[in-house]
Amino acid sequence: MPRRTMIASAEVIVTSPGRNFVTLRLTTADGVVGLGDATLNGRELAVAAYLREHICPLLVGRDAFAIEDVWQYLYRGVYWRRGAVNMTAISSVDQALWDIKGRTLDVPVYELLGGASRRGLRAYGHASGSTPEALMVAVRNRLAEGYLSVRIQVGVPGLSKIYGVHSDEQPGTGYDYEPAERVVPAARSHPDARPDEPAPVEQIATARPLEEEWDTRAYLRHLPEVLATVRAEVGPEVPLLHDVHHRLTPIEAARLGKAAEPYDLFWMEDCVPAEDQAALRLVRQHTTTPLAIGEVLNSVWDYQHLISERLIDYVRSSVTHTGGITHLRKILDFADWHGIRSGMHGPTDVSPVGMAANLHLGLAIHNFGIQEFMPHLPTAWEVFTPSYRWVDGLLHPGDEPGLGITMDTDAAGRFPYEPAYLPVNRLADGTVHDW
Ligand code: GCO
Ligand code: MG
């Protein structure tokens, strides 16, 4: 008889040790605990409620080893396909089930996925600065810290603040971070409020995303010069990446890709709004700069043309937002047959649990490309204890069973949820723009 282990309880934990995280915690009848990241930046409570109200009640009593079956039950059973909230919720169940299977069988998840295909994962760090000089300070800091590849973002003359560019670093003190802004004061309605208890109504009513400004022509004039400067400084070896954050039209993106060619970008990310698959045909006709897309996509169908027509080079989806290890593995296998590699999303709004899941999958697949890595704030380590680590400049998920990460639920209770939003972007005349 094959071994069977039953899901006995399902619990959703919302905590904010530095930023908001949603975690699904499944426990089997044998007492094995599995964790899954369900964090959807700026819309966290929607996923928490979806899990609590609609998914957790369906899980209790189910076979925890039947990972594919549970996935299909949740995906096809709901009838409403895809969607960030749905696919993030399903992902958390999937991660927790892989975790449980690994812990029950006493092997790391990457072994269940076929075993290690490499010693560790090449990862890129983040450098940004309001000016090219400030950016270079950040680039030098990342290289000194041991990052082998660096993403570079720079301020645009005439614009006061743009997402992805942070307050400038002092040499040696850098801590690059992309927060969602806590627009609402941290005050709670009462001192022993539950972590997921909504903020007082008057606070929610005043919570608003920050509004930033955008000017495409100024950006397109400035960026190629900055790429030239950084490339000249770091030399030919260091892989440099850049995130356009969906802000360009196809022809503008084509022009930028062409202008970037002499500086050998590892990739140009989200050069156009990611949901427009056909737009990439036009960009591809004009440039050989490699293209990465997909952090906001969440199913294999979102990649149907991107992959089958070879319109991109890297799949940016993370395990957390793309239906879990089970579904992202299928997208990446599809990509592999078309010469396309992984570039999994790894900002700090992917929780340490989601990062661990990315690393197990990345270690196992053949077509791994690069992993994004942005360190979590130290307070995150009061709640989560991962076993992933750096080995000779490469990231490794560790050899602990399952995903190799534990969560202190008491500590989680000390960091109550706080409303926080990603910004929105406007042009000088007030028009809302992609960002
Ligand atoms: C990246 C991203 C992030 C996202 C953020 C959204 O490449 O890391 O673009 O900065 O905007 O993770 O939640
Ligand atoms: Mg991005």
Side-chain angles (χ1 to χ4, degrees):
M1 273 290 282
R3 185 186 172 112
R4 286 290 169 253
T5 177
M6 198 185 75
I7 302 170
S9 70
E11 187 190 351
V12 179
I13 301 161
V14 181
T15 181
S16 192
R19 70 181 309 156
N20 294 317
F21 297 122
V22 179
T23 311
L24 177 70
R25 187 173 184 271
L26 300 182
T27 308
T28 68
D30 312 330
V32 178
V33 171
L35 300 176
D37 178 23
T39 308
L40 187 62
N41 199 3
R43 295 293 184 272
E44 298 86 357
L45 298 186
V47 187
Y50 185 72
L51 280 168
R52 277 200 191 106
E53 305 296 327
H54 299 292
I55 290 195
C56 292
L58 305 179
L59 295 176
V60 175
R62 227 159 260 292
D63 178 2
F65 268 26
I67 299 177
E68 179 73 26
D69 181 68
V70 171
W71 197 95
Q72 299 295 345
Y73 178 85
L74 294 175
Y75 182 80
R76 295 180 196 278
V78 69
Y79 181 69
W80 309 108
R81 305 297 162 98
R82 312 189 288 171
V85 172
N86 182 38
M87 295 302 274
T88 302
I90 294 176
S91 170
S92 65
V93 177
D94 186 76
Q95 293 166 61
L97 294 183
W98 282 104
D99 195 17
I100 285 171
K101 188 171 278 199
R103 287 177 192 279
T104 307
L105 301 178
D106 201 28
V107 285
V109 165
Y110 73 79
E111 292 291 5
L112 300 175
L113 298 173
S117 287
R118 56 194 53 78
R119 282 184 292 111
L121 306 181
R122 177 196 358 211
Y124 67 89
H126 285 242
S128 71
S130 58
T131 61
E133 297 70 35
L135 168 62
M136 270 320 302
V137 171
V139 170
R140 285 190 211 102
N141 283 346
R142 293 301 87 75
L143 295 175
E145 288 159 10
Y147 285 97
L148 303 177
S149 313
V150 186
R151 186 187 94 160
I152 49 175
Q153 304 298 123
V154 69
V156 174
L159 300 183
S160 53
K161 180 172 173 16
I162 52 175
Y163 181 76
V165 177
H166 317 288
S167 49
D168 296 334
E169 296 181 25
Q170 298 304 311
T173 63
Y175 205 96
D176 246 336
Y177 186 59
E178 283 190 335
E181 303 288 343
R182 289 176 185 269
V183 209
V184 163
R188 306 292 302 161
S189 47
H190 53 98
D192 44 340
R194 286 195 331 268
D196 57 337
E197 192 169 304
V201 173
E202 60 284 5
Q203 284 192 11
I204 291 176
T206 57
R208 292 284 184 277
L210 280 188
E211 297 204 359
E212 300 177 352
E213 42 184 355
W214 184 247
D215 179 344
T216 296
R217 284 170 55 78
Y219 168 73
L220 289 178
R221 280 195 304 273
H222 187 55
L223 190 74
E225 280 176 38
V226 176
L227 297 180
T229 309
V230 178
R231 177 54 77 204
E233 280 264 352
V234 301
E237 292 295 333
V238 181
L240 296 173
L241 304 87
H242 178 70
D243 191 348
V244 184
H245 234 277
H246 320 267
R247 291 166 178 140
L248 301 181
T249 65
I251 200 68
E252 290 163 352
R255 178 174 150 203
L256 180 61
K258 204 164 163 182
E261 281 170 21
Y263 316 115
D264 188 22
L265 276 185
F266 185 92
W267 77 34
M268 177 166 79
E269 174 181 345
D270 286 337
C271 60
V272 290
E275 63 271 38
D276 185 357
Q277 297 192 33
L280 273 295
R281 292 191 190 121
L282 192 144
V283 182
R284 258 310 200 224
Q285 278 166 20
H286 294 283
T287 180
T288 55
T289 293
L291 304 176
I293 230 158
E295 66 186 44
V296 299
L297 305 183
N298 47 59
S299 106
V300 71
W301 304 107
D302 300 329
Y303 283 100
Q304 188 169 19
H305 300 289
L306 294 179
I307 292 177
S308 61
E309 295 179 39
R310 303 171 201 269
L311 299 177
I312 55 171
D313 301 281
Y314 295 92
V315 166
R316 283 286 286 144
S317 283
S318 68
V319 166
T320 302
H321 303 126
T322 322
I325 291 172
T326 296
H327 193 64
L328 185 52
R329 171 97 203 220
K330 291 180 186 184
I331 297 174
L332 291 173
D333 285 346
F334 177 34
D336 194 13
W337 304 322
H338 294 82
I340 298 169
R341 292 185 284 163
S342 72
M344 289 176 224
H345 195 205
T348 46
D349 51 282
V350 164
S351 88
V353 176
M355 177 54 74
N358 280 347
L359 300 182
H360 282 275
L361 181 57
L363 195 71
I365 55 174
H366 174 67
N367 58 328
F368 171 79
I370 199 165
Q371 174 63 54
E372 177 180 19
F373 189 80
M374 203 187 277
H376 287 103
L377 290 175
T379 37
W381 310 131
E382 293 181 34
V383 175
F384 298 101
T385 307
S387 51
Y388 56 76
R389 54 178 192 270
W390 291 96
V391 184
D392 301 331
L394 302 176
L395 270 172
H396 193 281
D399 292 308
E400 297 297 313
L403 293 176
I405 181 157
T406 56
M407 181 175 194
D408 178 338
T409 49
D410 293 335
R414 294 202 301 271
F415 300 99
Y417 168 78
E418 295 177 24
Y421 282 110
L422 289 160
V424 294
N425 223 0
R426 285 187 193 273
L427 305 179
D429 67 1
T431 308
V432 171
H433 191 66
D434 291 294
W435 65 277

